[in-house]
Amino acid sequence: MVKSVAIVVAIFGGLAYYVWDYNTSPTGGKAKAEASASAYAKAHGPAIGDSVKVKDPQGEPLPTVVDCGSPEAEYKLGEMLPGKGMHCPSEYDYGIQYRNGRKFNYTLSFTKV
């Protein structure tokens, strides 16, 4: 009986620690997942004025923010147009249309660097 209670307490204690650690540890679990998502958004979600390089510009383009003085810089984000099917004005050289799962559509308009 004592062994059974000890095993149950150990299992629940281990599970409780895992849940606590997952939700509170700054280096693992939830914090790590949030940091990863934030890093992805920062690297691939340019703001107006940011310079980017574009992976697969003719297929499924993925802009990656780079330093504007870097030789990797290909385009500079000039405008973000909200709405479905928006087209960049003629002063821009390149545009990327996005559609995410929440049905928020927008177009990024870039000029060549």
Side-chain angles (χ1 to χ4, degrees):
M1 175 74 172
V2 173
K3 277 187 178 181
S4 298
V5 171
I7 291 171
V8 169
V9 168
I11 290 171
F12 280 109
L15 182 61
Y17 175 77
Y18 174 78
V19 170
W20 173 81
D21 186 54
Y22 182 83
N23 288 308
T24 60
S25 174
T27 59
K30 189 175 180 181
K32 189 174 185 179
E34 289 173 358
S36 177
S38 176
Y40 182 86
K42 185 176 182 180
H44 301 291
I48 303 291
D50 283 349
S51 293
V52 300
K53 65 179 180 178
V54 180
K55 179 181 178 184
D56 195 16
Q58 302 303 322
E60 292 187 29
L62 178 65
T64 302
V65 178
V66 296
D67 184 73
C68 288
S70 161
E72 293 182 299
E74 298 174 322
Y75 300 98
K76 189 170 195 168
L77 181 59
E79 197 170 345
M80 183 173 167
L81 307 168
K84 185 177 182 177
M86 298 297 290
H87 296 284
C88 296
S90 61
E91 71 235 34
Y92 296 104
D93 300 309
Y94 183 67
I96 299 174
Q97 293 189 355
Y98 278 102
R99 190 173 311 117
N100 68 16
R102 296 183 195 107
K103 296 187 180 180
F104 180 75
N105 300 296
Y106 57 97
T107 300
L108 301 176
S109 299
F110 297 95
T111 54
K112 274 201 172 288
V113 175

